[in-house]
Amino acid sequence: MPAPRHAPDGANGFHYVAEGWRLLSLPGIKRFIIIPLLLNIVLMGAAFWWLYTRLDNWIPALMGHVPDWLQWLSYLLWPLAVISIVLVFSYLFSTVVNWIAAPFNGLLAEQLEGHLTGTPLPDSGLVGILKDLPRIMKREWLKLVYYLPRALLLLVLYFIPGVGQTVAPVLWFIFSAWMLAIQYCDYPFDNHKISFAEMRRALRRHKVDNLQFGALVSVFTMIPLLNLFIMPVAVCGATAMWVDRYRTPGGEIRR
């Protein structure tokens, strides 16, 4: 069993994304990455192929909402429109993939935490995860309930002339970063049966670092090929963050 992990000094959210890439290659962890990785490659690959075949129709439609007095900024608003569509699409489809992959992501987080701390979780393994499947699906539902009203409010902003093409993309990027931090950090928290509300309170105590983590994951989600691998990377990075920032030696959350 490896020695327990020691938290690095001054590590921020960007560090934990890089750490996620490194942890993918740990001995004994690779086999738990295969199913989440294959699910992400197949589903996200197909989803983004479909998106790129539709952008030629969607971008002109979105740009049609630009008022005449902002037409001189079209050269700048066009890339913002593309980024906005890709951001919305990336989060929606990553949410679908995470619903399907949630039990396997939880198992990956569990096994990686045991490796990093030298203390395997009780009831570990696929059988334990399957036993907790109803709780895992309820947790995914809680994330969706938290996400939907906020996302709908931001989508309304897209249809306000001027605001929809300038302010809304920035707000959506920040919101997506926060939601991706919640999505991936939730796996190790949920493995310890820490409530969704308590998990959010814990993440808010390190909000800047979590926004950095979610923002970089969001950027990778928009990049072809890299987006096929980002889900297990984010799970590994978020689990390392849990071990370094939130977990007590006894496995409870730090207060």
Side-chain angles (χ1 to χ4, degrees):
M1 182 64 66
R5 176 183 174 89
H6 295 286
D9 294 331
N12 58 21
F14 300 137
H15 163 83
Y16 285 105
V17 178
E19 186 73 349
W21 286 101
R22 186 187 71 81
L23 293 172
L24 285 183
S25 61
L26 280 180
I29 296 300
K30 293 178 183 178
R31 66 180 182 271
F32 298 103
I33 293 168
I34 293 173
I35 293 179
L37 184 60
L38 288 177
L39 284 170
N40 203 46
I41 288 174
V42 172
L43 297 176
M44 288 295 285
F48 269 86
W49 176 84
W50 180 81
L51 171 64
Y52 293 135
T53 64
R54 297 294 186 272
L55 279 178
D56 286 344
N57 296 325
W58 291 355
I59 296 300
L62 188 58
M63 293 299 294
H65 292 280
V66 178
D68 293 338
W69 60 274
L70 277 179
Q71 288 297 328
W72 63 279
L73 276 178
S74 293
Y75 73 95
L76 178 62
L77 298 179
W78 186 90
L80 283 177
V82 174
I83 292 171
S84 298
I85 289 176
V86 174
L87 274 172
V88 174
F89 186 88
S90 297
Y91 187 80
L92 289 177
F93 272 85
S94 67
T95 299
V96 172
V97 175
N98 275 292
W99 269 73
I100 299 170
F104 306 104
N105 285 336
L107 178 59
L108 171 58
E110 178 187 85
Q111 296 297 321
L112 180 60
E113 181 180 340
H115 185 97
L116 295 177
T117 62
T119 308
L121 269 65
D123 215 12
S124 63
L126 183 59
V127 173
I129 293 294
L130 291 177
K131 184 182 72 175
D132 287 338
L133 191 59
R135 192 197 79 243
I136 293 170
M137 291 296 102
K138 179 182 178 181
R139 190 74 162 212
E140 294 301 313
W141 173 252
L142 288 175
K143 294 177 200 175
L144 189 62
V145 169
Y146 177 83
Y147 165 79
L148 278 177
R150 294 162 176 82
L152 290 173
L153 178 61
L154 285 174
L155 286 174
V156 168
L157 293 180
Y158 274 97
F159 296 98
I160 300 175
V163 173
Q165 292 76 35
T166 53
V167 178
V170 176
L171 294 178
W172 184 267
F173 183 80
I174 295 170
F175 176 63
S176 295
W178 176 241
M179 283 306 307
L180 285 170
I182 286 176
Q183 178 67 57
Y184 290 110
C185 290
D186 188 53
Y187 293 119
F189 278 86
D190 187 43
N191 283 341
H192 290 270
K193 299 178 176 59
I194 294 167
S195 73
F196 185 62
E198 189 172 2
M199 182 269 297
R200 294 200 323 271
R201 286 194 293 270
L203 295 187
R204 281 197 292 268
R205 292 199 290 270
H206 300 276
K207 194 164 189 176
V208 172
D209 289 339
N210 283 297
L211 284 172
Q212 291 172 346
F213 176 84
L216 193 51
V217 170
S218 185
V219 169
F220 282 142
T221 302
M222 294 187 288
I223 300 174
L225 296 182
L226 284 179
N227 59 12
L228 303 180
F229 300 91
I230 192 58
M231 184 169 68
V233 169
V235 174
C236 290
T239 303
M241 194 188 303
W242 152 260
V243 171
D244 292 348
R245 294 284 182 83
Y246 303 106
R247 184 186 188 274
T248 66
E252 297 83 17
I253 189 172
R254 291 178 186 170
R255 303 296 177 181

